[in-house]
């Protein structure tokens, strides 16, 4: 008897709780920055493409929806010639972001990607690239790497000694 | 066999190896850097540390380097010991102090031995807060990219380049932690084996510059076992494709042939597959102008059905057909052409002089008691005589094998001193500059001269004179030269030199005679056979190798086609008016005037090829044939060993294998040949029925129906990426993968993960071993045979005993010999842009001279 009354009371009390349903799309809730939505490619603080076409996002992708081709500019800086995400296959797991060694690929709190045609869900590099560094300001992979690229000679990286003089016998 | 105890478990191992090799063969994951099965052990990197115990009561033990420890009865070690583990981890950590933060942009990433070893030892966090040493790089030419920051000082590169390949322009400079591996100055690496540094280097110091142009990770390549098509040696390769273009060639281990190495022509010549000169659609010239009035410019693209109807029309109206095969097309394509045209209308498509030489070589191989050696057997020879062949330019891997053979004396000395033969420094120190005798008698200097005991650079006729004198020293019954014997050639005393060489050959256990078609001289080949015969009569186990210059020269010749001259005569006599040319540029085979005349007289010319050339320019119908990467077939190498190459990727459009086109033509013309040639197995079955010589061809490779646990062998790795996105720009529908009816390989990442039989291995990978060093896991014992190895056979088996000495006529021999270049002499590799940069300035040469 008591348990029946308690159940009725519990259900009745719910009427006075704060509503959590949001009247989307008229109303919108705030999404956390770490929400895993539409994927973007970011730029480093110098405004250049962060992606170095290492293929790690593509290999981490469980549905194999990322494909790209690496190429290099004349100064030896590697970047993707094309970078394609098939969002009609993407499951927004975020593995690509986790695998990315240069903070280039990031998931954003945007999920409004509905389309009538599946082909419109195929995003090329132009569609993915944004103009800022996204969630990770400050990081510039090429400053850390030992590679010589345009604007950074050998030994000018943040972790590098100046190049050694092979002919020197000094200790 | 001896018993050793690893972590208290007994294991049976072979006694003549080092402990590292034994552990790896047993399947232990023991990290190493400086050791390599082909370079042996020097104990430089300290990475392969294990703990050794005196006996079963010893609990303390001591750390030893396994690569420098011979296995011995009752040896007790621990691989798993915490102290040994900590030691190995410490070594990797120390190596990583200066290793740059490059993996994402490093071409070695994903197939890097250093990455594998770092993961294996468990080092995963950088503790050092100090800066990293850096180096300036060098420009090492069109083949190799140099990134010295990544170096871990294992010395493998110089040990390979100088010690194995005999190069002189790569060395180690500097001192202490500044050592630098490179050239004295910028410039292309001179050795024709420099490309092997890509696989030898355990990290990304030397990487493939041609791959960099269209970079793809190892896991993204669709790969298939292939055979090199750039010379007659028949090295085994793994070819890799991505997005419809061929990306790179890697070595595929075959103990009998190329072992661990390839030459640069084989490794970097692949780019002709992506060349802009490729024929990608059928081309038809219309209407055909009357014979003799020259031909219109450029054919118009046509679709497959139209072109086949057109060809059927041509063939039905033809007065007679001349079918010209090719030494660079597969055996199957040649055979299909031979069936289409009939035996009497089939011409092998080899130049006249060469064809007579090749027929002679086949005769010698059939009748001579001297066996035709594999490269592995060449490597075991203890006295070598090279007659007239410029091996480093015509058969580079054979030159490498002879170079290794010259080291046998060192091994002999070391063995007499009871040194372990895997101890590289000890063997070299004991042997000093001792070399097994190699004699080179050639028209010009060769890059092998540095290992020769003596060289004689003399004109071809003098090569024959010298060789004939040697043979007479061995057996006075050999008929002397019919004319023109001399006592001195170019300052060399014929008698003394002949005596010296004859004595050396007689005293050797495994004498080897090497010659080939290089001189285009019958006399050279015949004297080589005479010397071998004489040695054989003296009871020597002599071997006789003939280098041939194209990937299927022997295959085309063994099919028994008629000569090109006969084809010209047939055309001249008006017995035929239609020519079908299979993957062949006739201008490379005969002099320009006769080819012009021949093609001019033909009413219809049908060319099947994959690249445009002068012959194809004149054709009325051009069919796009597939290259080695887009089709499957069999090639026969210099020792008559048939080997299968497999389709790496499905070409776009109408491109298909030569034999598939010919099959389509047969269907269109309702050719009476029964059965049809729908699949490769069909052709091979028919070939082995019709030609007894090819009877064993069907057993060479597992047939298309072969399955492992009901599954095909995948061409793609299990990490193959981008499957649902690579063609999404064209269509979002994902088509079913193409079905390969010609081999047990699948165009898919699905399939058996078990190790397939050796001819089907399409990549080397094993858990924890992503680099090429995973090959260790595919071998029965490290450096030995592959598991499930089916040792290929030679088509021509030794019959022996019945041959007569040749009577040599000097007057038939050419006075001058053509000059060959490893980069530039071969037709296909010539189209590769990287190779083009290393080509000597030979633009004005007669194309035949560079064949």
């Amino acid at each position: 008897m008591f348990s029946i009354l308690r159940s009725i009371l519990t259900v009745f009390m719910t009427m006075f709780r704060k509503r959590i349903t949001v009247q989307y799309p008229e109303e919108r809730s705030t999404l956390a920055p770490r929400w895993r939505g539409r994927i973007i490619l970011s730029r480093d603080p110098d405004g250049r493409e962060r992606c170095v076409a290492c293929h790690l996002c593509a290999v981490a992708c469980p549905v194999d929806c990322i494909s790209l081709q690496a190429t290099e500019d004349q100064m030896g800086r590697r970047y993707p010639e094309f970078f394609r995400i098939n969002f009609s296959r993407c499951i927004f797991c975020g593995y690509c972001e986790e695998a990315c060694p240069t903070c280039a690929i990031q998931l954003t709190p945007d999920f409004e990607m509905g389309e009538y045609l599946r082909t419109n869900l195929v995003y090329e590099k132009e569609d993915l690239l944004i103009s800022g560094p996204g969630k990770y300001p400050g990081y510039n992979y090429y400053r850390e790497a030992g590679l010589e690229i345009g604007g950074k000679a050998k030994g000018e990286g943040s972790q590098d000694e100046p190049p050694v003089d092979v002919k020197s016998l000094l200790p | 066999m001896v018993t050793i105890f690893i972590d208290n478990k007994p294991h049976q191992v072979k006694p003549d190896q080092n402990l590292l090799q034994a552990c790896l063969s047993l399947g232990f994951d023991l990290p190493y850097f400086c050791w390599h099965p082909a370079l042996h052990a020097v104990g430089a990197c300290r990475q392969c540390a294990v703990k050794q115990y005196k006996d079963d009561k010893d609990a303390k033990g001591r750390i030893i380097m396994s690569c420098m420890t011979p296995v011995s009865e009752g040896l007790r070690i621990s691989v798993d010991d915490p102290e040994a583990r900590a030691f190995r981890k410490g070594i990797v950590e120390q190596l990583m102090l200066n290793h740059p933060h490059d993996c994402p942009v490093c071409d070695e990433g994903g197939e890097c031995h250093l990455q594998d070893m770092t993961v294996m030892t468990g080092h995963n966090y950088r503790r050092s807060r100090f800066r990293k040493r850096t180096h300036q790089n060098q420009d090492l030419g069109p083949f190799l990219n140099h990134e010295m920051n990544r170096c871990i000082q294992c010395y493998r590169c110089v040990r390979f380049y100088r010690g194995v390949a005999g190069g002189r322009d790569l060395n180690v400079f500097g001192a202490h932690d500044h050592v630098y591996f490179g050239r004295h100055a910028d410039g292309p690496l001179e050795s024709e084996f420099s490309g092997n540094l890509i696989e030898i280097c355990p990290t990304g110091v030397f990487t493939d510059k041609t791959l960099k142009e269209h970079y793809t990770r190892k896991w993204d390549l669709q790969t298939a076992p292939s055979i090199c098509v750039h010379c007659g040696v028949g090295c085994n390769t793994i070819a890799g494709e991505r997005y419809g273009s061929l990306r790179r060639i890697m070595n595929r281990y075959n103990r009998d042939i190329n072992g661990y190495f390839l030459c640069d022509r084989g490794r970097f010549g692949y780019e002709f597959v992506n060349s802009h000169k490729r024929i990608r659609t059928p081309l038809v010239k219309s209407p055909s102008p009357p014979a003799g009035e020259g031909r219109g410019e450029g054919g118009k693209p046509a679709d497959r059905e139209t072109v086949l109807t057109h060809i059927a029309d041509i063939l039905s109206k033809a007065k007679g057909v001349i079918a010209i095969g090719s030494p660079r097309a597969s055996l199957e394509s040649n055979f299909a052409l031979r069936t289409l045209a009939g035996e009497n209308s089939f011409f092998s498509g080899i130049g006249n002089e060469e064809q007579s030489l090749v027929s002679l070589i086949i005769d010698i191989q059939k009748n001579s008691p001297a066996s035709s050696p594999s490269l592995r057997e060449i490597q075991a020879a203890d006295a070598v005589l090279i007659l007239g062949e410029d091996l480093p330019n015509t058969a580079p891997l054979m030159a490498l094998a002879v170079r290794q053979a010259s080291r046998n004396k060192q091994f002999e000395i070391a063995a007499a001193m009871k040194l372990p033969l895997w101890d590289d420094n000890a063997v070299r120190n004991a042997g000093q500059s001792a070399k097994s005798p190699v004699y080179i008698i050639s028209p010009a200097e060769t890059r092998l001269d540095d290992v020769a005991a003596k060289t004689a650079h003399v004109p071809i006729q003098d090569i024959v004179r010298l060789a004939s004198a040697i043979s007479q020293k061995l057996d006075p019954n050999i008929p002397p030269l019919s004319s023109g014997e001399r006592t001195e050639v170019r300052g060399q005393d014929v008698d003394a030199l002949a005596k010296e060489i004859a004595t050396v050959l007689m005293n050797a256990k495994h004498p080897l005679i090497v010659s080939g078609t290089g001189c285009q001289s019958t006399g050279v080949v015949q004297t080589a056979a005479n010397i071998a015969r004489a040695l054989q009569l003296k009871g020597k186990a002599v071997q006789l190798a003939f280098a041939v210059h194209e990937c299927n020269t022997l295959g085309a010749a063994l099919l028994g086609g008629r000569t090109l001259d006969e084809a010209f005569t047939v055309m001249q006599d008006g017995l035929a008016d239609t020519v079908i040319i299979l993957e062949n540029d006739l201008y490379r085979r005969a002099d320009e005037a006769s080819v012009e005349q021949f093609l001019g007289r033909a009413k219809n010319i049908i060319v099947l090829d994959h690249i445009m050339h002068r012959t194809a320019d004149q054709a009325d119908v051009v069919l796009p044939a597939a290259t080695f990467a887009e089709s499957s077939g069999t090639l026969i190498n210099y020792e008559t060993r048939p080997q299968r190459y497999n389709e790496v990727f499905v070409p776009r459009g109408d491109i298909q294998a030569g034999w598939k086109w010919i099959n389509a033509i047969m269907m269109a013309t309702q050719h009476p040949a029964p059965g049809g040639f729908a699949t490769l197995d069909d052709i091979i079955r028919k070939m082995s029925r019709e030609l007894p010589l090819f009877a064993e061809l069907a057993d060479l490779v597992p047939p298309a129906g072969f399955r492992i646990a009901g599954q095909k062998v995948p061409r793609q790795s299990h990490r193959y990426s981008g499957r649902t996105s690579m063609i999404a720009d064209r269509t979002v529908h994902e088509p079913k993968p193409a079905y390969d009816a010609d081999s047990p390989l699948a165009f898919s990442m699905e399939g058996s993960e078990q190790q397939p039989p050796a001819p089907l291995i399409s990549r080397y990978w094993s858990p924890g071993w992503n680099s090429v060093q995973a090959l260790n896991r595919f071998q029965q014992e490290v450096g030995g045979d592959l598991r499930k190895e089916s040792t290929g056979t030679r088509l021509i088996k030794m019959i022996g005993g019945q041959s007569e000495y040749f009577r040599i006529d000097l007057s038939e021999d050419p006075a001058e010999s053509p000059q060959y270049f490893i980069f530039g002499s071969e037709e296909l590799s010539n189209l590769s842009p990287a190779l083009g940069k290393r080509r000597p300035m030979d633009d004005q040469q007669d194309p035949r001279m560079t064949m």
Side-chain angles (χ1 to χ4, degrees):
Chain A
M1 185 62 195
F2 170 71
S3 76
I4 292 172
L5 283 177
R6 191 183 58 186
S7 300
I8 291 171
L9 188 70
T10 310
V11 171
F12 193 73
M13 290 291 282
T14 327
M15 288 172 63
F16 303 101
R17 280 225 194 107
K18 194 190 165 204
R19 299 256 149 64
I20 54 165
T21 311
V22 175
Q23 290 304 312
Y24 179 84
E26 288 78 23
E27 281 175 59
R28 284 156 195 266
S29 64
T30 350
L31 297 177
R34 64 174 185 183
W35 168 274
R36 298 198 308 266
R38 181 170 58 89
I39 299 171
I40 54 101
L41 287 174
S42 61
R43 289 176 188 272
D44 65 24
D46 303 339
R48 307 193 60 177
E49 264 177 69
R50 255 181 182 159
C51 177
V52 299
C54 72
H55 292 81
L56 285 182
C57 50
V59 73
C61 181
V63 290
D64 287 345
C65 74
I66 304 178
S67 66
L68 67 151
Q69 173 60 52
T71 189
E72 265 172 28
D73 69 9
Q74 280 155 355
M75 311 301 280
R77 185 184 169 111
R78 188 165 280 188
Y79 67 97
E81 187 181 342
F82 73 83
F83 194 107
R84 185 182 307 133
I85 300 181
N86 181 355
F87 278 110
S88 72
R89 284 289 188 185
C90 180
I91 57 170
F92 302 95
C93 64
Y95 284 8
C96 48
E97 181 173 7
E98 228 171 274
C100 185
T102 68
C103 302
I105 195 164
Q106 297 174 15
L107 280 80
T108 60
D110 171 22
F111 55 88
E112 294 168 319
M113 302 174 68
E115 295 282 354
Y116 286 104
L117 282 176
R118 266 181 76 192
T119 40
N120 293 346
L121 284 166
V122 178
Y123 282 38
E124 297 289 338
K125 194 168 88 176
E126 310 78 270
D127 311 319
L128 296 165
L129 208 56
I130 62 165
S131 51
K135 282 183 273 188
Y136 310 98
Y139 187 70
N140 185 338
Y141 168 74
Y142 277 116
R143 276 190 213 142
E144 314 293 322
L147 217 59
E148 182 181 348
I149 53 148
K152 190 195 93 181
K154 264 289 162 68
E156 289 181 1
S158 64
Q159 303 184 46
D160 294 347
E161 297 267 13
V164 300
D165 175 9
V166 180
K167 288 173 184 157
S168 160
L169 289 175
L170 293 174
Chain B
M1 294 300 245
V2 294
T3 311
I4 61 169
F5 295 87
I6 301 176
D7 292 314
N8 288 325
K9 288 202 187 75
H11 294 278
Q12 295 280 320
V13 295
K14 276 195 184 168
D16 55 347
Q17 53 182 346
N18 64 46
L19 190 52
L20 173 62
Q21 213 171 346
C23 287
L24 290 171
S25 297
L26 289 169
F28 286 91
D29 279 341
L30 194 53
Y32 63 90
F33 289 112
C34 66
W35 177 82
H36 184 284
L39 304 179
H40 307 301
V42 290
C45 69
R46 324 312 282 169
Q47 184 59 67
C48 60
V50 293
K51 210 166 211 187
Q52 186 185 3
Y53 300 96
K54 261 195 304 214
D55 47 47
D56 54 346
K57 290 186 192 72
D58 182 4
K60 208 165 166 222
R62 64 193 179 100
I63 283 182
I64 52 158
M65 293 309 129
S66 62
C67 73
M68 297 310 283
T69 312
V71 292
S72 53
E73 183 62 43
L75 183 72
R76 301 190 86 87
I77 58 152
S78 169
V79 174
D80 216 19
D81 178 78
E83 225 172 43
R85 274 177 173 280
F87 185 96
R88 298 197 294 257
K89 190 171 170 181
I91 294 289
V92 162
E93 183 166 17
Q94 173 248 323
L95 290 176
M96 296 302 283
L97 284 185
N98 286 320
H99 194 75
H101 189 55
D102 270 3
C103 299
V105 287
C106 174
D107 288 359
E108 194 86 354
E111 51 180 323
C112 176
H113 190 58
L114 180 59
Q115 278 180 341
D116 289 349
M117 297 301 107
T118 308
V119 173
M120 192 179 284
T121 52
H123 169 67
N124 51 20
Y125 200 81
R126 183 178 174 83
R127 290 187 293 169
S128 164
R129 288 172 290 117
F130 294 94
R131 287 165 175 266
K132 298 173 179 181
R133 70 111 174 80
T134 58
H135 278 293
Q136 297 289 3
N137 300 330
Q138 285 179 331
D139 179 4
L140 298 180
F143 299 149
L144 292 180
N145 192 51
H146 192 220
E147 185 58 56
M148 252 312 286
N149 283 0
R150 298 171 187 157
C151 181
I152 57 163
Q153 299 88 36
C154 68
Y155 284 70
R156 270 194 196 184
C157 52
V158 285
R159 281 163 58 215
F160 166 75
Y161 196 85
R162 302 180 73 85
V164 176
R168 297 173 56 84
D169 60 329
L170 181 86
N171 213 337
V172 51
F173 304 97
H176 54 89
D177 64 338
H178 287 175
V179 289
Y180 187 89
F181 296 84
R183 297 183 82 245
H184 69 289
D186 281 8
L189 285 170
E190 284 160 12
S191 169
E192 60 272 28
F193 302 105
S194 64
N196 292 305
L197 295 175
I198 297 164
E199 289 181 51
I200 286 285
C201 178
T203 173
V205 178
F206 300 99
T207 50
D208 189 336
K209 214 180 227 178
T210 66
L211 174 68
K212 210 179 168 68
E213 300 288 311
H214 39 222
Y215 184 66
T216 306
R217 294 269 179 224
K218 180 186 183 185
W219 61 70
D220 277 345
L221 289 168
Q222 175 163 278
T223 47
S226 195
I227 305 292
C228 181
V229 294
H230 301 297
C231 82
V233 173
C235 296
N236 291 203
T237 59
I238 292 176
E241 172 266 0
R242 179 84 176 170
Y243 302 131
S245 71
L246 195 63
R247 298 295 165 101
R248 74 159 173 199
I249 298 288
M250 290 287 266
N251 177 57
R252 180 159 63 93
Y253 180 81
N254 182 325
R255 198 184 178 187
D256 285 337
I257 303 178
N258 49 323
Y260 289 88
F261 306 120
L262 289 179
C263 73
D264 288 357
R265 187 202 274 176
R267 192 181 292 271
F268 303 111
Y270 70 92
E271 279 191 291
F272 76 91
V273 175
N274 309 329
S275 160
H276 64 276
K277 282 198 166 177
R278 279 298 298 279
I279 303 163
R280 299 203 178 265
T281 50
L283 301 170
V284 178
K285 267 181 204 164
S286 60
S288 301
E293 283 187 23
R295 292 164 195 281
E297 282 298 303
K300 292 218 169 54
D303 65 80
R304 191 187 144 92
E305 295 314 313
T306 324
V307 82
L308 284 174
T309 330
H310 186 54
I311 291 173
D313 187 43
I314 291 175
L315 291 181
S316 66
K317 285 181 194 152
K319 212 160 56 168
V321 176
I322 291 176
I324 298 178
S326 169
R328 65 169 165 84
S330 68
L331 192 62
E332 287 80 3
S333 294
N334 276 307
F335 178 73
L337 187 68
R338 184 177 176 273
T339 315
L340 172 73
E343 206 181 324
N344 280 327
S345 305
F346 177 70
F347 301 83
S348 58
I350 309 174
N352 287 312
E353 300 91 350
E354 202 184 342
Q355 181 155 3
S356 61
L357 266 186
V358 173
S359 312
L360 176 65
I361 287 172
I362 290 174
D363 269 358
I364 292 171
Q365 291 195 343
K366 275 186 182 153
N367 300 320
S368 162
S371 70
S372 175
S374 64
L375 291 193
R376 181 181 164 197
E377 287 161 337
I378 289 179
Q379 219 159 320
D382 56 355
V384 185
L385 170 63
I386 300 175
L387 284 177
E389 192 69 21
D390 181 4
L391 287 183
N393 282 322
T394 60
L397 254 288
M398 204 187 277
L400 190 66
V402 170
R403 188 176 284 280
Q404 304 322 304
S406 76
R407 283 198 64 209
N408 284 339
K409 185 76 188 172
Q410 288 189 354
F411 287 111
E412 207 177 284
I413 293 170
M417 295 167 85
K418 297 210 164 56
L419 290 172
L421 298 185
W422 45 259
D423 191 344
D424 197 44
N425 283 339
V427 170
R428 283 178 195 272
N429 212 357
Q432 292 292 314
S433 57
K435 284 191 180 74
S436 296
V438 175
Y439 290 92
I440 301 177
I441 305 179
S442 66
E445 287 174 2
T446 72
R447 287 194 297 279
L448 204 55
D449 286 357
D450 60 313
V451 294
K454 245 181 208 161
T455 59
H457 303 307
V458 293
I460 292 176
Q461 299 203 340
D462 291 341
I463 294 176
V464 182
R465 286 191 183 102
L466 269 172
S468 164
I470 296 167
S471 62
Q472 274 169 9
K473 287 274 177 283
L474 290 166
D475 186 350
N477 294 329
I478 294 180
L481 286 179
S482 48
S483 64
E485 289 212 49
R486 287 187 199 164
T487 52
E488 193 195 91
V489 292
R490 298 272 161 132
Q492 303 254 20
D493 183 352
V494 172
D495 198 58
L497 187 61
K499 199 168 186 181
E500 181 186 334
I501 297 176
T503 320
V504 165
L505 290 175
M506 271 311 291
N507 291 337
K509 274 198 218 81
H510 305 288
L512 166 71
I513 319 293
V514 182
S515 185
T517 56
C519 284
Q520 302 189 340
S521 149
T522 328
V524 170
V525 171
Q526 287 175 336
T527 41
N530 278 359
I531 294 173
R533 170 97 181 125
L535 282 168
Q536 201 272 334
L537 286 180
K538 299 251 173 190
K540 288 276 158 195
V542 60
Q543 294 179 318
L544 178 59
F546 289 110
V548 292
H549 294 185
E550 276 171 285
C551 58
N552 203 20
T553 304
L554 285 188
L558 282 171
L559 280 173
R562 296 161 69 190
T563 63
L564 217 48
D565 258 353
E566 286 178 274
F568 294 168
T569 319
V570 170
M571 183 60 82
Q572 204 155 17
D573 296 347
L575 299 172
D577 60 353
T578 300
V579 192
I580 307 179
I581 301 167
L582 172 73
E583 300 181 33
N584 208 338
D585 181 4
L586 295 186
Y587 287 94
R588 292 180 71 92
R589 311 287 173 193
D591 62 288
E592 188 153 337
S594 359
V595 178
E596 290 281 349
Q597 203 179 27
F598 172 69
L599 294 178
R601 272 177 209 225
K603 205 168 121 207
N604 293 296
I605 303 170
I606 302 167
V607 168
L608 285 97
D609 209 339
H610 37 80
I611 46 167
M612 270 324 248
H613 42 64
R614 285 176 71 195
T615 310
D617 279 339
Q618 303 204 32
D620 301 292
V621 182
V622 180
L623 295 176
T627 60
F628 75 97
E630 297 146 348
S631 62
S632 304
T634 309
L635 300 174
I636 293 180
N637 82 344
Y638 74 95
E639 39 158 354
T640 70
R641 180 194 298 267
Q643 297 186 100
R644 174 78 63 83
Y645 62 89
N646 292 284
E647 192 171 355
V648 182
F649 63 104
V650 184
R652 286 198 194 140
D654 289 322
I655 295 174
Q656 58 177 349
W659 56 266
K660 281 192 181 166
W661 272 119
I662 296 167
N663 181 45
I665 295 173
M666 281 194 212
M667 305 284 261
T669 54
Q670 280 143 19
H671 192 273
F677 290 161
T679 67
L680 200 64
D681 286 346
D682 290 344
I683 299 198
I684 289 171
R685 225 173 290 131
K686 190 158 168 33
M687 196 162 23
S688 49
R689 265 203 309 271
E690 274 184 26
L691 304 164
L693 188 64
F694 299 107
E696 286 172 43
L697 218 52
D699 312 324
L700 175 68
V701 178
F706 173 84
R707 296 287 182 275
I708 300 172
Q711 289 178 303
K712 280 194 154 206
V713 179
R715 279 184 176 85
Q716 299 166 359
S717 77
H718 65 292
R719 289 281 198 189
Y720 195 77
S721 80
R723 215 165 23 93
T724 64
S725 151
M726 25 198 324
I727 59 159
D729 56 333
R730 280 172 277 146
T731 169
V732 284
H733 304 288
E734 288 140 26
K736 210 175 139 187
Y739 181 78
D740 185 0
D742 301 319
S743 78
L745 297 160
F747 294 105
S748 162
M749 55 202 281
E750 286 175 30
S752 168
E753 282 296 316
Q754 277 181 49
Q755 181 178 342
L760 296 176
I761 293 175
S762 55
R763 84 185 57 76
Y764 293 118
W765 182 86
S766 175
W769 298 77
N770 298 296
S771 72
V772 282
Q773 320 282 332
L775 170 57
N776 294 343
R777 287 285 185 270
F778 284 70
Q779 292 167 325
Q780 284 168 23
E781 59 182 76
V782 175
D785 285 331
L786 293 166
R787 289 175 219 275
K788 304 187 192 174
E789 174 92 74
S790 58
T791 46
T793 56
R794 296 177 192 118
L795 289 179
I796 297 176
K797 307 266 181 338
M798 258 201 294
I799 310 166
Q802 289 136 31
S803 70
E804 298 272 307
Y805 285 123
F806 289 102
R807 194 173 282 279
I808 288 134
D809 186 7
L810 263 186
S811 60
E812 284 175 15
D813 279 318
E816 276 181 56
S817 77
Q819 195 179 355
Y820 300 94
F821 300 102
I822 177 168
F823 307 124
S825 287
E826 196 260 338
E827 186 182 359
L828 299 176
S829 60
N830 229 343
L831 294 169
S832 159
L835 236 72
K837 289 180 194 145
R838 293 289 306 277
R839 199 164 50 203
M841 309 296 266
D842 62 343
D843 298 0
Q844 298 309 314
Q845 270 183 350
D846 175 4
R848 274 195 311 155
M849 289 307 223
T850 59
M851 252 317 296

